[in-house]
Amino acid sequence: MADKTGSEQETIGHHIRNTVFATDVSALGDGEGLSVGSDIYGTIEIWTNSSATTTAELLSKWASHKESCNDGCKDWSL
Amino acid sequence: MAFTSPKNWVADEIVVASGSGSLNEQIRDNLLVLSTHTHTGAAGMGSATLSNVTLTGLNTSTFSDQSSNPSTNGRLQRNGAALLYYNGSTAVNLTASDQAAATASMRTLGTGATQAAAGNHSHTLTFAEVQIVTDTGSYSSWSTGASNEEEITTVNITPGAATNRAVIITFAGISKDGQNNPGLSGGWTIKLKYGSTTVKTVTGSSGYSGSGAAPPVMASYTPNSTSTQAVSATANPAGQTWGGGAVVIMYGSMGAIEVSGTP
């Protein structure tokens, strides 16, 4: 698989955070964060310290979304 | 004695014992020829050389020692105890093992230069630290509503080998700078770069703070070059939830560790 460019990394990160996790992001409280890492090798990593959800739940949520995603998620893996 | 072509018999012929067309000539003499003849290649005698022959169900084949290697393209020939095949340029010894690396041959299992490795062999990898480079603190600032990418920390690295691995770690932290908190749930985009190559992008980073709101940004990369490159981190507050302050500062510090591996 070809290396992912910086633009591709940023695009998939925004898609996952703002579309797949939109509800989870809006529920973040003070001092809480939710970030999506994407690297040149096509790897996705997800982190949160949210009190409303866990990183494991987010990983599962993205894995389910990926199956039917038409926005490029299928080209990435955990 | 030569083979006599069989005659055509006609009705009412008289059979004689000897002479042309006799029973002795037609049956006895021809049977003697067929039972004792050698393969001379003459008409009716057969040849010692067979061509355009397809053998099926062959049980065994025994090669006689030719005491030399084959030199005709496609020939299989025995020389002493070795069986060799001439491929058009080389007499390949089919019975010898562990021939030179560029010569096709059977291989025994082992660790020698001309042996084959067993399919279940394993390697023990060893790693060594080559160098560590660090930038202990830089920053950039943004005015309210800004959405531009700025470098927050950088350090140069000159790899000892092109195939070594560089592990990069960056801490990026937001300062209120006397303003309201710009929103830790916001969407900073942090990028780690090796030269002009973006190795890692973190979207929605809230920045590292004293309460540990976000982990450091980490990545590893094999540069495939020994030229000096800048390893850097950039930040972009596009999408950030601004808290009302006029300016926000993102501090950054980073370290890069070059590691070599030996199988």
Side-chain angles (χ1 to χ4, degrees), chain A:
Chain A
M1 183 181 294
D3 286 349
K4 302 295 187 184
T5 66
S7 176
E8 291 171 329
Q9 295 169 33
E10 190 169 346
T11 297
I12 197 66
H14 280 298
H15 166 66
I16 295 173
R17 187 173 190 271
N18 299 334
T19 302
V20 184
F21 298 152
T23 303
D24 306 282
V25 170
S26 65
L28 293 172
D30 287 344
E32 294 182 343
L34 189 162
S35 63
V36 176
S38 47
D39 68 18
I40 192 172
Y41 308 109
T43 304
I44 294 292
E45 60 184 44
I46 297 164
W47 172 87
T48 188
N49 64 347
S50 169
S51 58
T53 189
T54 65
T55 299
E57 288 170 335
L58 294 175
L59 290 172
S60 177
K61 191 173 187 177
W62 179 68
S64 297
H65 161 83
K66 178 182 172 182
E67 298 299 320
S68 58
C69 178
N70 294 318
D71 293 313
C73 284
K74 291 176 181 174
D75 295 331
W76 297 78
S77 60
L78 295 174

Side-chain angles (χ1 to χ4, degrees), chain B residues 51-75:
Chain B
S51 63
N52 297 320
V53 174
T54 300
L55 299 177
T56 60
L58 186 64
N59 289 333
T60 61
S61 181
T62 304
F63 293 84
S64 61
D65 184 6
Q66 303 300 301
S67 300
S68 64
N69 289 344
S71 57
T72 299
N73 197 3
R75 178 166 294 179

Side-chain angles (χ1 to χ4, degrees), chain B residues 38-260:
Chain B
T38 56
H39 295 161
T40 63
M45 295 295 104
S47 173
T49 301
L50 300 177
S51 63
N52 297 320
V53 174
T54 300
L55 299 177
T56 60
L58 186 64
N59 289 333
T60 61
S61 181
T62 304
F63 293 84
S64 61
D65 184 6
Q66 303 300 301
S67 300
S68 64
N69 289 344
S71 57
T72 299
N73 197 3
R75 178 166 294 179
L76 195 61
Q77 182 173 312
R78 175 186 159 195
N79 183 357
L83 190 61
L84 300 101
Y85 173 79
Y86 189 74
N87 62 12
S89 60
T90 304
V92 180
N93 190 335
L94 304 180
T95 50
S97 61
D98 300 339
Q99 297 296 289
T103 301
S105 79
M106 297 182 290
R107 304 282 170 189
T108 58
L109 297 181
T111 57
T114 59
Q115 290 182 293
N120 62 349
H121 78 284
S122 61
H123 294 270
T124 300
L125 301 179
T126 57
F127 298 95
E129 178 185 305
V130 177
Q131 63 176 315
I132 296 177
V133 292
T134 58
D135 176 41
T136 54
S138 303
Y139 67 91
S140 281
S141 61
W142 292 261
S143 300
T144 300
S147 60
N148 51 304
E149 180 183 2
E150 298 289 347
E151 183 178 285
I152 56 172
T153 177
T154 184
V155 65
N156 285 341
I157 186 170
T158 305
T163 54
N164 284 351
R165 194 78 172 174
V167 179
I168 309 163
I169 302 174
T170 290
F171 288 94
I174 305 167
S175 170
K176 301 177 185 178
D177 194 30
Q179 311 299 322
N180 292 329
N181 191 316
L184 289 175
S185 61
W188 286 88
T189 298
I190 309 291
K191 291 186 177 182
L192 289 186
K193 299 183 178 183
Y194 192 101
S196 60
T197 301
T198 301
V199 178
K200 178 76 169 283
T201 300
V202 174
T203 306
S205 174
S206 49
Y208 184 85
S209 72
S211 61
V217 181
M218 299 173 283
S220 66
Y221 185 61
T222 300
N224 291 321
S225 168
T226 55
S227 62
T228 300
Q229 294 285 340
V231 180
S232 62
T234 66
N236 188 340
Q240 177 67 284
T241 302
W242 293 86
V247 175
V248 65
I249 296 175
M250 176 68 87
Y251 287 94
S253 63
M254 75 184 323
I257 306 171
E258 180 188 356
V259 177
S260 64

